[in-house]
Amino acid sequence: MLREEGKMEHQEGFEEVLPGQIEAKSFEIIGEELARRGICLKPEEEPVIKRAIHATADFDYASSLVFAPGGIDMGLKALKRGAAVVTDTNMAKAGINKRKLESLGGQVFCFMADADVAERAREMGCTRAAASMEKAAALFGRGEKDGEIGGDGNAVNRRPVIVAVGNAPTALAALCRMIREGSFLPDLVVGVPVGFVNVVQSKELLLAQDKVPYIVARGGKGGSSVAAAVVNALLYQV
Amino acid sequence: MLREEGKMEHQEGFEEVLPGQIEAKSFEIIGEELARRGICLKPEEEPVIKRAIHATADFDYASSLVFAPGGIDMGLKALKRGAAVVTDTNMAKAGINKRKLESLGGQVFCFMADADVAERAREMGCTRAAASMEKAAALFGRGEKDGEIGGDGNAVNRRPVIVAVGNAPTALAALCRMIREGSFLPDLVVGVPVGFVNVVQSKELLLAQDKVPYIVARGGKGGSSVAAAVVNALLYQV
């Protein structure tokens, strides 16, 4: 049985692709399909969009992903400087390439399962996801009072923060409130919660502000796989 | 700032839904949208299909999910008997409800990051995902030689196994080879790898056999979120 393993891919009807070349071949196929559909992506957005499609096999992301001007650039700068990446889902945390992130001095956090977050959520009558964003703000937050936002990374000496919301619109709504109040201004927000209750609304809130750069999957679609894919697409460009 | 948290959901344009009711409301909306599209689901398949849609906001799963006769029943029986759930993705592992699974005596495993799996993959020139299925077979496998398959759980005293492939078609192809050889016959295979290279082919392999019950997302779509959603939908019915 074991001797046959090496031949596993060579089944009738299967494409013969070496293990190390599967991802490249996938991106090639995605590129061909985008061309076939007459979709032309901006070069700087292409790696993010293709990786989101790669994670979902869903070409809707070619049109639904919206990028704030300079959003990708801010994300790359933050990652280069060892960003804290905070997400509202342990699945996204599991999917983000921690080896690459940590090689840059970064780290990924999800506070969803924390006892203090559960307690705060109960106290406040909000979701744990919303409470987890409060915790992120308390630990990594930097607001308008803390000085100039963005700009050249070298001029700012706090730890940069990327928030990737891959599940709960309540997390994104809480974050948008803090952004509006000026109390928490991440370097980049990846806004890709998924679902049916206030998902579209929470994304439109993020799109409507201009204090913080964003990458948003407009509409109801998104999820942990997309959140991880967007962060990884940025990581692989650093 | 903190005093406003409880009011977070009460934003203009947002539906007011209490944290504990968001999921029920989501399922209600999914049901309405399915009705609007004239889609009528089989009662036993409905919880699985709705949870897959809940995890992705993608109604394609209403038509792409294919269930082997008795597949759901076999999955439920396996979970009741404390199944080992093996997946090819740490994201799916993170997303499966471990509290519920462990309350039934079950446990979730992902061998993708194991050193012996990486070594075996190198040796055999296969993917780590394929090698991880070999490891699952070695640890939990039960083949044709080990006695009658399936049937009443009480008559079988080994640990039941559910394999949930949420990422790599090479994992599913390796599994299908072992099924064909009769060397590894899980109680249920959730076949929802995602992507573009041999994904459709690997799913069709699984659909073409009748030794092992399956739940398959036909086509290229799938992923960790879908794998976790399918397993959780079964768990929540036990």
Side-chain angles (χ1 to χ4, degrees):
Chain A
M1 182 180 86
L2 294 178
R3 299 190 69 101
E4 290 184 17
E5 274 176 286
K7 295 180 191 162
M8 200 195 62
E9 320 277 358
H10 306 277
Q11 303 206 38
E12 207 183 329
F14 277 59
E15 289 189 75
E16 293 195 16
V17 182
L18 290 172
Q21 295 169 0
I22 295 173
E23 185 169 300
K25 178 70 180 168
S26 297
F27 276 76
E28 190 185 313
I29 295 170
I30 294 167
E32 287 165 3
E33 179 61 21
L34 288 167
R36 201 189 62 79
R37 295 176 184 224
I39 297 169
C40 191
L41 303 176
K42 292 186 194 170
E44 69 272 21
E45 298 175 1
E46 188 177 309
V48 175
I49 293 173
K50 282 190 171 173
R51 194 162 286 278
I53 295 171
H54 178 252
T56 57
D58 188 338
F59 282 86
D60 279 7
Y61 291 103
S63 53
S64 66
L65 281 168
V66 184
F67 298 76
I72 288 170
D73 201 44
M74 286 296 287
L76 295 178
K77 275 186 181 157
L79 290 172
K80 276 178 201 160
R81 289 169 51 224
V85 178
V86 182
T87 176
D88 68 325
T89 134
N90 273 301
M91 285 187 78
K93 182 181 170 186
I96 288 169
N97 189 325
K98 283 165 284 294
R99 202 195 312 202
K100 176 77 181 171
L101 181 64
E102 285 162 14
S103 76
L104 298 164
Q107 203 178 343
V108 62
F109 300 88
C110 175
F111 304 124
M112 287 298 290
D114 293 7
D116 58 338
V117 165
E119 195 186 321
R120 169 63 61 101
R122 267 194 305 275
E123 273 172 28
M124 306 306 298
C126 69
T127 62
R128 280 184 300 138
S132 80
M133 291 292 118
E134 297 282 344
K135 183 164 180 173
L139 286 175
F140 305 112
R142 177 168 163 283
E144 284 169 340
K145 288 176 187 164
D146 303 313
E148 203 186 14
I149 302 129
D152 178 1
N154 297 323
V156 183
N157 53 20
R158 58 148 196 133
R159 184 176 205 177
V161 190
I162 295 173
V163 180
V165 178
N167 186 39
T170 55
L172 189 52
L175 183 56
C176 286
R177 176 178 50 72
M178 293 188 283
I179 291 170
R180 191 174 61 243
E181 293 169 355
S183 59
F184 184 23
L185 302 168
D187 296 72
L188 174 68
V189 177
V190 178
V192 296
V194 61
F196 301 92
V197 177
N198 294 328
V199 170
V200 171
Q201 293 92 322
S202 70
K203 290 172 182 176
E204 293 302 319
L205 263 189
L206 183 60
L207 289 165
Q209 60 76 41
D210 59 5
K211 287 183 182 175
V212 164
Y214 53 76
I215 299 173
V216 170
R218 217 163 193 157
K221 286 184 182 177
S224 302
S225 302
V226 179
V230 170
V231 173
N232 285 339
L234 296 176
L235 273 172
Y236 300 149
Q237 286 177 78
V238 174
Chain B
M1 182 179 88
L2 295 178
R3 299 189 69 103
E4 290 183 16
E5 276 176 287
K7 294 181 192 163
M8 200 194 63
E9 321 277 359
H10 307 277
Q11 302 206 38
E12 206 182 330
F14 275 60
E15 289 189 75
E16 293 195 17
V17 182
L18 290 172
Q21 296 169 358
I22 295 173
E23 185 170 298
K25 179 70 180 169
S26 298
F27 276 76
E28 191 185 312
I29 295 170
I30 294 167
E32 287 165 3
E33 179 62 21
L34 288 167
R36 200 187 63 76
R37 294 175 185 225
I39 298 170
C40 192
L41 303 176
K42 292 186 193 167
E44 68 273 21
E45 298 175 2
E46 187 177 310
V48 175
I49 293 173
K50 282 189 172 172
R51 194 161 290 276
I53 295 172
H54 178 253
T56 57
D58 188 339
F59 282 85
D60 279 5
Y61 291 102
S63 53
S64 67
L65 280 168
V66 183
F67 298 76
I72 288 171
D73 202 43
M74 286 296 288
L76 295 177
K77 275 185 182 157
L79 290 172
K80 276 179 198 156
R81 290 170 52 224
V85 178
V86 182
T87 176
D88 68 324
T89 133
N90 273 302
M91 286 188 78
K93 181 180 172 185
I96 290 169
N97 189 324
K98 282 164 284 295
R99 202 194 315 203
K100 176 76 182 169
L101 181 65
E102 285 163 14
S103 77
L104 298 165
Q107 202 177 341
V108 63
F109 300 89
C110 176
F111 304 124
M112 287 298 289
D114 293 7
D116 57 339
V117 165
E119 195 185 322
R120 172 60 63 102
R122 266 194 306 275
E123 270 172 28
M124 307 303 300
C126 68
T127 63
R128 282 185 298 138
S132 80
M133 291 292 118
E134 298 280 344
K135 181 165 180 173
L139 286 174
F140 305 114
R142 178 171 162 282
E144 284 166 342
K145 289 178 188 164
D146 304 315
E148 202 188 13
I149 303 128
D152 178 2
N154 297 322
V156 184
N157 54 20
R158 57 145 200 138
R159 186 179 205 174
V161 191
I162 296 174
V163 180
V165 178
N167 187 38
T170 54
L172 189 52
L175 184 56
C176 287
R177 176 178 50 75
M178 292 188 282
I179 292 169
R180 191 175 61 241
E181 293 169 351
S183 59
F184 184 22
L185 302 168
D187 295 72
L188 175 69
V189 177
V190 178
V192 295
V194 63
F196 300 92
V197 177
N198 294 330
V199 170
V200 171
Q201 292 94 319
S202 70
K203 291 172 180 174
E204 294 302 319
L205 263 190
L206 184 61
L207 290 164
Q209 61 75 42
D210 58 5
K211 287 183 181 175
V212 164
Y214 53 77
I215 301 174
V216 170
R218 215 161 194 159
K221 286 184 182 179
S224 302
S225 301
V226 180
V230 170
V231 173
N232 286 337
L234 296 176
L235 274 173
Y236 299 149
Q237 286 178 79
V238 174

